[in-house]
Amino acid sequence: VNDEIKKESAEIIDCLHKMNIKTILLTGDKELTANKVAKELNINHVYSQLLPENKLEILENEIKIKSKKSSVLYVGDGINDTPSLKLADVGIAISGLGNDEAVETSDVVLLSDNMNSLVKTIKISKFTKTILIQNIVFSLVFKFAALLIGTIGILGSYGMLLGVLADVGVCLLTILNTLRILKKEK
């Protein structure tokens, strides 16, 4: 008896590879089955016949060897995945398949067992990080410029107006910029 591989799985792994995300399969299945799945889905590395503590050891090693700019993401659905979900930089539980322990321990919960939402989640989180950096840089540059102009006194009595604009105006602009996240998938 073999589990059936979902049709979208190969497409999802391909999308992850296009985003330069290394894929690793950690499974309790027999080696033959695990290698067959890894080959069919083009997964980078495969570890089979693992107990939860074995998965945790491999995950700890991946966290040790990763670069400072990268993150280790773990996707799981069962109680056996709970320690790994907690240890990973980002733990993602699949609530449509999983149990309550995995859902409570994870950082992100996919509300359905449709794994296409994993790729969408990663893309939205990367876009969100970009927006966050834009907002911080814009805010700091504008406020520093307003501080400099106000200190020099170029605007005279309009300096207070510039201060208000630097505070409230920048806040409103960063909120509007952040709203772009809602339109990302559209």
Side-chain angles (χ1 to χ4, degrees):
V1 177
N2 286 329
D3 288 335
E4 193 173 312
I5 298 173
K6 293 184 177 185
K7 293 176 184 176
E8 72 268 9
S9 297
E11 181 182 322
I12 292 166
I13 298 296
D14 187 48
C15 285
L16 293 174
H17 288 164
K18 287 178 181 172
M19 290 189 282
N20 292 325
I21 296 174
K22 179 172 91 172
T23 54
I24 301 173
L25 175 62
L26 305 176
T27 181
D29 290 343
K30 301 277 185 204
E31 185 176 1
L32 184 65
T33 304
N35 287 334
K36 179 183 173 194
V37 169
K39 185 178 180 183
E40 189 172 326
L41 297 179
N42 195 25
I43 293 176
N44 298 118
H45 303 284
V46 61
Y47 299 91
S48 58
Q49 297 177 301
L50 301 175
L51 297 172
E53 55 268 17
N54 303 125
K55 291 180 181 182
L56 201 56
E57 287 173 18
I58 293 167
L59 189 60
E60 286 172 343
N61 187 49
E62 288 296 322
I63 290 171
K64 284 179 189 174
I65 64 171
K66 72 174 180 148
S67 71
K68 289 184 181 182
K69 289 188 174 187
S70 64
S71 298
V72 174
L73 182 138
Y74 186 93
V75 180
D77 64 355
I79 194 164
N80 292 337
D81 295 312
T82 303
S84 298
L85 286 167
K86 188 170 189 154
L87 178 65
D89 295 325
V90 180
I92 298 182
I94 308 165
S95 76
L97 300 173
N99 74 13
D100 294 338
E101 287 291 323
V103 169
E104 288 181 32
T105 304
S106 65
D107 301 304
V108 177
V109 178
L110 301 179
L111 297 177
S112 71
D113 61 348
N114 180 353
M115 292 300 290
N116 284 323
S117 57
L118 174 64
V119 174
K120 185 189 283 187
T121 300
I122 293 170
K123 287 180 179 179
I124 290 173
S125 68
K126 286 184 177 198
F127 185 67
T128 301
K129 182 179 177 182
T130 301
I131 294 290
L132 177 70
I133 291 168
Q134 288 173 356
N135 286 346
I136 290 170
V137 169
F138 174 73
S139 179
L140 289 175
V141 166
F142 196 88
K143 288 186 180 208
F144 180 74
L147 181 67
L148 187 62
I149 291 170
T151 303
I152 295 172
I154 297 172
L155 297 178
S157 63
Y158 291 108
M160 183 63 79
L161 180 63
L162 180 64
V164 170
L165 181 63
D167 187 40
V168 178
V170 168
C171 182
L172 290 173
L173 288 173
T174 57
I175 290 170
L176 291 173
N177 190 35
T178 304
L179 290 174
R180 291 176 38 215
I181 297 168
L182 297 175
K183 292 186 175 185
K184 174 65 177 158
E185 285 304 308
K186 294 176 184 176

